[in-house]
Each structure stands twice: as C-alpha cells, then as structure tokens.
Amino acid sequence: MKQNGGSLSLLLACLLQSPAWAHESAASDIQVKDAWVRGTVAGQKMTGAFMRIDSASGATLLSATVEPAVAAVAELHESVRDGGMARMQAVKRIDVAAGQGVSLQPGGYHVMLMGLKAPVREGGTVKLRLHFEQDGHGHDVEVTAPVRPLAAAAGSAGMGHGMPPGTGHQTGQGATK
Amino acid sequence: MSQAAAALAAAVFALAACSREAPPEIHFTASNVTGATFGQDFALPDATGHVRRLADFRGQVVLVFFGYTQCPDVCPTELVRLAELRRQLGAEASKVQGVFITLDPERDTPEVIGEYVKAFDPSFIGLRGTPAEADATARAFRAFYQKVPGSAPDRYALNHSTHLYAFDPAGRLRLLMQSSAGVEAMVKDVRTLLAGH
C-alpha cells in the first residue's frame, strides 16, 4: 500500500514535469525554456537571468520575482548598444510576440537580479517567478534557472546550442493569479 | 639650422626606409588610431595594490577595456571575447595582456575586481583607482560613461563605451576595436601588431 503510494507520487511527479503536460495546459500557452543565470564572484551585487519565452497567442512579461534568499529584487532590464555605447535601462514590460516569442539574452533583455545576498555559483540554481499578462489575465510561471559560469558565452536562449537537455526547465505554469 | 636640416633629412630617410620595408598595405579591421594623442598611459592599482602602467607591458600587445563588474551582460561578453582571442592566439597568447579598468570603483572593490577578471582568464589584470582616478583615466582615454540611477541608490547602472584599446608592443595606442568585431578579425589585427607593423 505504502509502496503503491510512493509509485503514484513518482508517476505524478514525472507527469507534472513532462513538457507534454505543460503544452496541453489550457490555462496559458506561455513556454519558458533554457533559463540560466550568470554566476558571480564574491562582492558582486547584481547579475542577469536569461531565457527563451514562447507563446503561440502572445503575452506580455510584466515583472519577475526572485527567492528573497538569493536577491533583494528582480527587475526587467534591457541592454542596448548603439554608436559604440552600451546603455542599460529598466523596462516596464517585455512583449512575447505571438508565434515569435522573445529571447532574453546578453546584449538585450534580461531579468536583473539586484542586491544579491551571496555569490551565485555555478552548479546552483535560482528560482524565479515570472508574471505575465495574456488575454487580460495574469499568469505566473515558475522557472528554475541553473547558474552558468561568470564567463559563460553569450550564445544561449534561442540560439539553438549550448544547453544540455533538461536544464532550465519550466517547473510550473499557467497558474492564474 | 643645420641641425634642423639634418633632423629633417634623417626623418625623410627614416620614412623612406619605412615605406621600403613595410608591406604595401597594412590592413586592420579595427579603427586605426595610430598617432592618437589620447589614451597615452594609465597608472592605477591592480587588485593587490601594485600600481600598473603601460610601460610594464613592453613587448606585449595590451588590450584595455573599461567597464564595471555589476554589468550584467555587455562587460562579461567583452571579456569572454578577449579570453577567446587569447585562446585562438595559441603560443602567442603570452604576448597579449588584457586589462580591465573599472569605471565603478565605489562598488568594485579590489577583491571583487581581482576575482572577477580572473574568472575569464587568469592572465587578465583588473585595475581600480579612486573615483577621481577612474574618471581622469576615462577622460584621458576618451572613454565615455554615465551613471544611470536605479530603483535604489546602490542599484545604479553605467552607460559606457564598449571599444577595446589596442596598444602595440612599443606601448603606442594603435587601434580601437569595436564590440561588434569578430574574434577572428581581432586575432588577425593583434598578430599584425605583434609582427611589428
């Protein structure tokens, strides 16, 4: 009896983590994958989180929150390079174009983790909650982002390489606010 | 008068000699700023407190980048490219010195900057002056930066110029390498400088 219960839990856990399940969710079609966080050295107070976001019907990323144990705050930022200058600015929203999606990647959009409580080291993970709006409804998506080395190259989300399968997966989705 | 004439003759001779010996065209992918009057030198402490100057690196191509460690993506991307450049240079890598000068000494303590640059390449040197020294060095290099206030006083960002300054083995500023340049093109330019051109 107890054994059966254990197997059932395991089966449920597997089902819940399956991308197929995620895809069939009626609540929202927002897909987040290939999430990663750039590692830091001691004393660095900020770092960036990057990921690929897709949605067949389109959505808007409005904000993000991070585990309080990791950082004080998460903000949506954009790096822009123009005329030999790198500029960084906070943005109020990141549009996930219907059918086209958006890549949060070095040199562009990212989730800025500010006020780090401790260095973020390779091998660890950071849990983020992304707040989307879709069809006038709020949707939260939880993401577990593995930490890559500080010196990780830019090639990542949406570039079609560099990520071992099964990392940066979406741990939950479509939970209506 | 005769001294001036002699100097002129020597200069003309030297020029002629140069044009005879130099290959017909020295082509750089990066912007050639040979003869520039800016970016002549720096004198800033490294993570261990030793003041480093350009003259410390005679015989090496020195690549200088201005940035700050709280920079989420542009600075790491540039340092990754610098590390890749050294990797592609193979045996010649020892003749290239990467130097990172912080524009944000208030947050980039010596400990932070030392560990930060070495995460990209153990040979890199991070330099950190006082805020006044950092500003003076940036001005002397015509490197632009501007503080952008954030959601809290210690969460400011810096807008900053992103090019690399390339010095030849004689310590002369020669090239400005844009962040959009391919690493292969940068390797070629560095090899040209190492060859004494």
Side-chain angles (χ1 to χ4, degrees), chain A residues 18-174:
Chain A
S18 139
W21 172 82
H23 191 73
E24 284 163 16
S25 163
S28 116
D29 64 1
I30 299 162
Q31 298 279 324
V32 181
K33 62 178 184 180
D34 298 346
W36 62 284
V37 170
R38 188 181 292 284
T40 64
V41 299
Q44 266 185 281
K45 295 295 181 196
M46 300 189 198
T47 192
F50 308 92
M51 65 200 74
R52 169 74 194 174
I53 306 173
D54 285 291
S55 166
S57 57
T60 304
L61 176 60
L62 294 174
S63 64
T65 49
V66 60
E67 302 167 86
V70 172
V73 67
E75 295 181 1
L76 307 183
H77 280 214
E78 180 182 23
S79 292
V80 182
R81 294 187 196 220
D82 67 292
M85 287 282 285
R87 302 176 193 282
M88 194 163 74
Q89 58 205 27
V91 294
K92 287 197 167 61
R93 48 189 282 161
I94 296 174
D95 287 322
V96 184
Q100 294 184 6
V102 65
S103 288
L104 277 58
Q105 60 191 355
Y109 289 122
H110 51 276
V111 176
M112 191 79 173
L113 308 181
M114 311 174 94
L116 293 177
K117 305 291 170 68
V120 180
R121 300 286 190 186
E122 185 187 3
T125 57
V126 173
K127 283 197 175 68
L128 298 168
R129 185 180 284 267
L130 307 173
H131 312 287
F132 291 92
E133 185 183 87
Q134 188 173 51
D135 298 329
H137 296 288
H139 294 284
D140 281 8
V141 176
E142 274 187 21
V143 176
T144 302
V147 179
R148 289 202 198 170
L150 170 56
S156 61
M159 309 278 286
H161 62 87
M163 285 295 295
T167 54
H169 63 284
Q170 198 166 313
T171 53
Q173 84 148 59

